[in-house]
């Protein structure tokens, strides 16, 4: 019990001494031992690493999970040390919705079948997203979080100890300075004393006490200096480890980029495969409202022929309207059957179902006519047109 009281008193005295030293430094009433430039640079580098690591972590979490409510829920589960419940992500929910609606409309119909195929692809996208998030959490976020919660906490602890040892050192220097000043004053008083022998003895005793105080202060200063130097070296070694932390984070960054590249490549491949599947549907779609997938009416969706393989109409097989147009060199109205993108500046782009004015130009290829839409003019392929009466 006596030991504990003494230890408590000693700790309280040390704490008070540090508090007094810190306060006097803030008010400019005491000198402060400055750390060497290299150590200050390492401390600044560590603080910068911690600051940007936290920001990168936060923004990465936003990218991986844009919903703040879900992020908060996951944080609470982590704080409670409980497993986060498995839930479907947005792609998977959309996929289930599409598949259910496709079965409702009928898998045998074009629209129902397309919805099912799209839904299956959306679920694949959802699974790929989950794998990407899981991989990023393990290979990228976890190492960053381990640095903040592990290595940097150790650095902060040792840095705080260094600050305490520095305060102890400066307090010891201050006590040493005051003891020497008092000892000097005592010596001067003895030299100038010509009074009674009793007072001279008092001054001599006081001088001896101050000499012992100086000796004790010197001992405390040596101990404080030794402890400060030792703590500064420990802190320096820890701070120099930030370089290896940067190298580790660089490897984690490469893993994150590789995971992103693989994720987006996988998503792209899923969508390309879906495009191919949707492109394989026939041009005549059945009416989804008929039971059993049968249809009494159909909608024809024409497929535009490639411009490079336009069929040539022999003169004797050309329509009478086209022959009349060529013989009179007049103009006619024509309806566009398919969309057409002009291949050069001499051609005119077309939109399906629009009506343009066409005419025959002497010397022009028989597969083409001159089209006009307002002030725009250019060659148009005959097979994309239907001449109107």
């Amino acid at each position: 019990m006596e030991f504990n009281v003494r230890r408590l008193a000693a700790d309280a005295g040390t704490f008070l001494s540090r508090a007094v030293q810190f306060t006097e430094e803030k008010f400019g009433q005491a000198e402060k031992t400055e750390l060497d430039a290299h150590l200050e640079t390492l401390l600044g580098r560590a603080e910068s690493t911690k600051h940007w690591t936290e920001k990168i972590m936060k923004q990465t979490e936003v990218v991986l999970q844009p919903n703040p409510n879900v992020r908060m829920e996951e944080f609470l589960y982590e704080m409670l040390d409980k497993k986060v419940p498995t839930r479907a992500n947005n792609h998977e929910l959309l996929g289930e919705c599409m598949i259910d609606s496709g079965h409702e409309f009928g898998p045998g119909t074009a629209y129902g079948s397309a919805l099912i195929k799209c839904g299956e692809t959306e679920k694949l996208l959802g699974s790929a997203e989950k794998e990407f998030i899981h991989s990023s959490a393990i290979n990228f976020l976890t190492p960053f979080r381990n640095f903040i919660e592990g290595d940097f906490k150790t650095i902060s602890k040792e840095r705080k100890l260094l600050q305490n040892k520095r305060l102890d050192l400066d307090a010891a220097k201050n006590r040493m300075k005051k003891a020497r000043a008092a000892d000097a004053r005592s010596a001067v008083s003895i030299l100038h004393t010509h009074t009674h022998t009793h007072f001279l003895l008092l001054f001599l005793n006081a001088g001896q006490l101050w000499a012992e105080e100086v000796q004790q202060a010197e001992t405390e200063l040596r101990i404080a200096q030794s402890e400060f130097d030792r703590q500064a070296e420990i802190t320096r070694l820890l701070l120099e480890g930030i370089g290896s932390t940067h190298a580790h984070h660089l490897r984690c960054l490469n893993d994150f980029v590789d995971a992103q590249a693989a994720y987006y490549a996988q998503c792209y491949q899923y969508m390309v495969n879906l495009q191919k599947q949707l492109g394989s549907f026939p041009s005549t779609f059945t009416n989804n409202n008929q039971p059993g997938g049968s249809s009494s009416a159909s909608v024809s969706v024409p497929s535009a022929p490639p411009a490079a393989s336009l069929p040539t109409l022999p003169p004797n097989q050309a329509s009478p309207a086209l022959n009349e147009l060529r013989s009179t060199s007049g103009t006619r109205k024509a309806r566009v059957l398919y969309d057409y993108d002009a291949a050069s500046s001499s051609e005119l782009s077309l939109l399906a179902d629009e009506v343009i004015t066409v005419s025959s130009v002497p010397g022009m290829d028989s597969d083409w006519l001159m089209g006009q839409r307002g002030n725009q003019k250019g060659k148009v392929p005959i097979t994309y047109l239907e001449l109107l009466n």
Side-chain angles (χ1 to χ4, degrees), residues 20-302:
V20 170
Q21 179 65 28
F22 182 79
T23 303
E24 290 180 349
E25 288 176 0
K26 287 298 181 181
F27 286 100
Q29 298 173 353
E31 295 181 359
K32 175 182 177 181
T33 300
E34 299 293 340
L35 302 177
D36 65 81
H38 178 60
L39 190 56
E40 288 285 3
T41 301
L42 291 176
L43 287 170
R45 189 185 185 196
E47 284 294 336
S48 179
T49 301
K50 182 237 184 189
H51 169 73
W52 288 110
T53 299
E54 287 179 332
K55 291 200 71 172
I56 291 172
M57 281 176 53
K58 183 177 180 181
Q59 289 305 122
T60 304
E61 289 170 351
V62 171
V63 169
L64 297 180
Q65 179 50 263
N67 190 328
N69 295 327
V70 176
R71 290 202 306 274
M72 179 57 67
E73 182 181 351
E74 291 176 351
F75 174 76
L76 292 176
Y77 273 103
E78 183 178 348
M79 293 295 293
L80 297 173
D81 198 20
K82 292 186 177 181
K83 185 178 180 181
V84 179
T86 303
R87 64 169 63 86
N89 56 29
N90 292 332
H91 283 292
E92 291 175 328
L93 291 174
L94 175 59
E96 292 174 1
C97 181
M98 285 183 168
I99 291 174
D100 291 342
S101 61
H103 285 294
E104 177 71 21
F105 294 130
T109 64
Y111 183 44
S113 177
L115 280 171
I116 292 174
K117 292 181 181 298
C118 289
E120 291 172 347
T121 301
E122 289 294 334
K123 294 186 74 172
L124 290 175
L125 293 176
S127 298
E129 181 183 7
K130 282 185 174 179
E131 292 178 6
F132 167 60
I133 292 174
H134 180 69
S135 173
S136 300
I138 293 177
N139 299 324
F140 188 64
L141 289 179
T142 298
F144 274 47
R145 188 175 291 110
N146 288 342
F147 166 73
I148 297 297
E149 298 177 356
D151 294 350
F152 193 80
K153 277 190 175 181
T154 303
I155 291 174
S156 299
K157 178 183 176 181
E158 297 300 329
R159 182 178 180 179
K160 185 176 180 181
L161 284 175
L162 178 62
Q163 171 73 355
N164 291 336
K165 296 302 180 183
R166 201 269 307 160
L167 289 172
D168 292 343
L169 174 62
D170 287 337
K173 288 180 178 179
N174 195 26
R175 285 194 297 272
M176 180 69 184
K177 183 178 180 181
K178 290 178 180 179
R180 283 179 174 175
D183 185 45
R185 287 195 303 269
S186 176
V188 171
S189 299
I190 292 172
L191 290 175
H192 290 83
T193 298
H194 302 286
T195 58
H196 193 273
T197 306
H198 175 70
F199 291 102
L200 180 60
L201 291 174
L202 289 176
F203 282 120
L204 288 174
N205 290 333
Q208 185 178 1
L209 289 174
W210 282 117
E212 293 176 356
E213 183 69 19
V214 169
Q215 185 177 3
Q216 183 179 356
E218 288 177 346
T219 303
E220 291 177 354
L221 179 59
R222 286 195 299 271
I223 295 173
Q225 185 70 58
S226 175
E227 291 181 350
F228 171 78
D229 292 340
R230 177 176 176 275
Q231 187 58 41
E233 181 66 15
I234 292 174
T235 306
R236 182 186 63 81
L237 292 174
L238 282 174
L239 291 172
E240 288 178 346
I242 292 294
S244 61
T245 298
H246 285 190
H248 183 212
H249 286 183
L250 175 58
R251 292 191 294 272
C252 296
L253 184 62
N254 285 331
D255 292 340
F256 179 64
V257 172
D258 290 344
Q260 272 190 312
Y263 167 62
Y264 289 121
Q266 192 175 16
C267 292
Y268 173 76
Q269 190 60 51
Y270 287 150
M271 299 312 296
V272 168
N273 293 339
L274 178 61
Q275 282 182 317
K276 292 179 180 178
Q277 293 178 36
L278 295 182
S280 65
F281 282 105
S283 59
T284 301
F285 295 95
T286 59
N287 186 348
N288 293 326
N289 294 326
Q290 295 296 324
S294 61
S295 172
S296 59
S298 63
V299 179
S300 178
V301 180

Side-chain angles (χ1 to χ4, degrees), residues 310-314 326 364-369 380-384:
L310 294 174
T312 302
L313 295 176
R326 286 172 175 166
M364 182 180 289
D365 192 319
S366 60
D367 295 333
W368 299 80
L369 291 174
V380 294
I382 292 175
T383 52
Y384 281 69

